[in-house]
Every structure is written in structure tokens, then in C-alpha cells.
């Protein structure tokens, strides 16, 4: 009987392991595509050189680790607010971690794990401005938000109907307008505002007013019906809180002055 050469044996073993997934571990399935925001400092940001930063990035990386993936196996894909459901439905990403507020309308199309964070609509002003302490103070001032923002709609409709509104294409544009004095405040979720305030170069220039104009429970979106993945992500989120990684990520990404809610209880899944 002819003894196979070592190289041939190795090739056969490698082929068998590839076919069987090396025992079924998820880490052997290649990359893990995760949807995040690319333009929200403190939340999800693609930095110069392709490095990713932000609280959602840290949460996604921790969850991936608990699912058996190394950081280098993660493929972050950009998601916009209006295409998160589509990317899940068409299997472009495995899950979405992108300041994704849980609500009943969205739950008709996707399942959520979490929540893993509670944000509140707030106002960002210049650090030396003492004239704005509550939403009603904007009735005689100009505020900025992105076009079609529900935050701006809430403020104009319910809290400061006489405020002037400047709608721009991105929150980063609002930050520039605020710094230049073209507006008096900008509004969106406090986590997003805190990220801009803590961003390198912005330290000491802005402050949050500490409003809680709405409650936004951020969840991790998964494809409808993926109950096992939902359960595994929930387990990972619980562990992240228990071992202190969650709080460390909050403080790292939102700055030392950010007043945050405790980690919320997991309310999704069975």
C-alpha cells in the first residue's frame, strides 16, 4: 500500500475541515458583516485610515467576540437610518448596531436584541451660552437639526413652536453652524450630541443642557425570525454589563461629564 505524501494528507485534512466548518464554530465561517453608522462621533465613526470608533462599535465588537469572532473577522458596513431594515432583510449584514431605537413599527420588520442603551433627546449649545436651560428657551432663538429629523419635529410641534429651524444635511454641519454662531442650539439624541462634544478638537466648546425630551431605547436589529441569534446577542449584552465593559465603553466614548442612564434591562426575546 502506497503511503500518501505529507502534503497530500494535509490538503485532504484542510478540505475536510473546510467542509465541516472545523466543528461548527462560527469563527470559521469567515467574516461577520455588522451594520453601523460611519458618521456619528461617539456612536459609530469611520476615522481617517479606516479605523472605527464609538460606543456602538465597542458593543458590536464585544457581541462578535461572544459569538466566536475575532476583531479582524468583523466587516463593518455603513448603514443609513432609512436602510437598516433592508440590509437585514437581504442578508447584507448579520445584525445592526446603529443608534437603532426600538419601536413597534420597526418590530414589524425586524427583531431586536436589547435594549443596550437609553438615550434622550437633548440640546447642545455653546459652552458659554447661559440663555438656554430648557426647550422653551428656544422660542426666541434658532436651532439646527438634520432634514426630516423627528427630534426637530418634536421640538417645533410640542416644546418650542416659535423657534426658528435651520435644517442641514448632517449633524456635523449643525455643529459647524453652532460653533460659528449661525444657530443657538442643535437637537438630537443626547448620546450623539455627547459624542460631538467629546470629539477631539471640540473639548470645552459645547455643552449639553441635560434635557430628557424623549426616551430612545437602542436595540440591536436582527433579521425577522432569527430567535437563536437574538438570544445569543442578549446573553452577550448581559455579560458586557456584568463584567464592567459596558460602563467602560460609555465613559470612553461620551466623555467624563456625560450623564447616562444605567444599563437597561433586556426586554426582547423569550
Amino acid at each position: 500500500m502506497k503511503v500518501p505524501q505529507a502534503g497530500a494528507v494535509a490538503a485532504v485534512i484542510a478540505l475536510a475541515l473546510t467542509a465541516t466548518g472545523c466543528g461548527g464554530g462560527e469563527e470559521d465561517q469567515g467574516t461577520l458583516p455588522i451594520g453601523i453608522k460611519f458618521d456619528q462621533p461617539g456612536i459609530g465613526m469611520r476615522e481617517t485610515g479606516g479605523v472605527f470608533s464609538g460606543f456602538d462599535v465597542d458593543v458590536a465588537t464585544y457581541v462578535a467576540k461572544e459569538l466566536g469572532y475575532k476583531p479582524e473577522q468583523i466587516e463593518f458596513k455603513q448603514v443609513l437610518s432609512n436602510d437598516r431594515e433592508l440590509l437585514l432583510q437581504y442578508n447584507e449584514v448579520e445584525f445592526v448596531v446603529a443608534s437603532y431605537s426600538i419601536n413597534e413599527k420597526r418590530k414589524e420588520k425586524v427583531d431586536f436584541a436589547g435594549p443596550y442603551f437609553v438615550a434622550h433627546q437633548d440640546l447642545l449649545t455653546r459652552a458659554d451660552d447661559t440663555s438656554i436651560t430648557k426647550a422653551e428657551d428656544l422660542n426666541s432663538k434658532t436651532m439646527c437639526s438634520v432634514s426630516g429629523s423627528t427630534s426637530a419635529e418634536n421640538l417645533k410641534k410640542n416644546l418650542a413652536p416659535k423657534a426658528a429651524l435651520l435644517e442641514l444635511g448632517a449633524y456635523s454641519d449643525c455643529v459647524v453652524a453652532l460653533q460659528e454662531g449661525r444657530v443657538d442650539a442643535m437637537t438630537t439624541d443626547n448620546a450623539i450630541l455627547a459624542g460631538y462634544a467629546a470629539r477631539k478638537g471640540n473639548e470645552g466648546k459645547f455643552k449639553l443642557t441635560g434635557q430628557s425630551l424623549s426616551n430612545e431605547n437602542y436595540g440591536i436589529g436582527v433579521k425577522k425570525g432569527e430567535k437563536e441569534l437574538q438570544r445569543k446577542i442578549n446573553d452577550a449584552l448581559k455579560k458586557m454589563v456584568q463584567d464592567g465593559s459596558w460602563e467602560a465603553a460609555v465613559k470612553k466614548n461620551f466623555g467624563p461629564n456625560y450623564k447616562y442612564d444605567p444599563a437597561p434591562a433586556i426586554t426582547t426575546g423569550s
Side-chain angles (χ1 to χ4, degrees):
M1 179 177 178
K2 185 178 180 181
V3 179
Q5 293 183 355
V9 172
V12 170
I13 293 174
L15 181 61
L17 290 174
T18 301
T20 59
C22 299
E26 291 195 52
E27 68 274 17
D28 304 308
Q29 296 178 8
T31 58
L32 176 68
I34 303 174
I36 64 168
K37 293 290 183 70
F38 276 24
D39 61 350
Q40 291 183 344
I43 299 287
M45 189 76 185
R46 189 180 190 276
E47 306 285 358
T48 303
V51 177
F52 295 95
S53 67
F55 181 69
D56 281 353
V57 173
D58 290 344
V59 170
T61 302
Y62 189 99
V63 169
K65 173 178 68 74
E66 292 302 305
L67 294 177
Y69 290 86
K70 299 175 182 178
E72 58 268 26
Q73 291 178 288
I74 299 172
E75 180 187 5
F76 286 121
K77 291 190 174 184
Q78 183 176 20
V79 298
L80 305 176
S81 294
N82 60 359
D83 67 7
R84 289 175 289 204
E85 289 86 4
L86 287 174
L87 289 176
L88 287 168
Q89 290 168 358
Y90 288 97
N91 301 310
E92 292 293 322
V93 296
E94 193 72 13
F95 53 88
V96 169
V97 194
S99 56
Y100 201 2
S101 297
I102 301 171
N103 62 40
E104 293 304 316
K105 184 177 181 180
R106 288 171 177 165
K107 286 197 291 185
E108 294 175 1
K109 297 180 180 180
V110 303
D111 285 329
F112 283 98
Y116 64 92
F117 190 79
V118 179
H120 306 281
Q121 183 185 347
D122 200 355
L123 305 174
L124 187 73
T125 66
R126 289 180 291 277
D128 59 356
D129 189 344
T130 59
S131 66
I132 302 172
T133 59
K134 57 186 183 300
E136 291 80 1
D137 293 335
L138 287 171
N139 275 314
S140 59
K141 297 183 180 294
T142 302
M143 67 172 174
C144 185
S145 196
V146 297
S147 301
S149 164
T150 55
S151 297
E153 181 182 355
N154 179 42
L155 207 59
K156 281 286 289 181
K157 183 178 179 180
N158 301 316
L159 301 169
K162 296 180 181 179
L165 174 63
L166 175 64
E167 292 185 286
L168 297 176
Y171 287 118
S172 56
D173 298 329
C174 284
V175 172
V176 173
L178 180 60
Q179 183 173 346
E180 294 177 347
R182 290 186 284 130
V183 298
D184 301 294
M186 64 178 287
T187 185
T188 186
D189 294 354
N190 57 358
I192 297 172
L193 296 176
Y196 278 112
R199 187 161 176 75
K200 186 176 181 180
N202 288 344
E203 302 97 326
K205 294 181 180 179
F206 308 104
K207 65 180 180 182
L208 279 75
T209 61
Q211 309 295 303
S212 293
L213 306 177
S214 69
N215 297 324
E216 306 294 337
N217 290 283
Y218 290 175
I220 296 179
V222 301
K223 188 176 182 180
K224 194 74 173 175
E226 293 283 355
K227 298 299 183 183
E228 182 64 15
L229 178 59
Q230 180 190 48
R231 182 189 63 76
K232 289 181 179 179
I233 293 175
N234 278 336
D235 288 344
L237 293 175
K238 292 174 184 176
K239 184 176 179 181
M240 187 177 186
V241 173
Q242 291 167 355
D243 68 15
S245 299
W246 181 92
E247 187 172 20
V250 171
K251 292 180 177 178
K252 181 186 80 171
N253 290 293
F254 299 134
N257 298 321
Y258 179 68
K259 297 179 181 179
Y260 58 92
D261 288 17
I266 303 294
T267 58
T268 59
S270 55

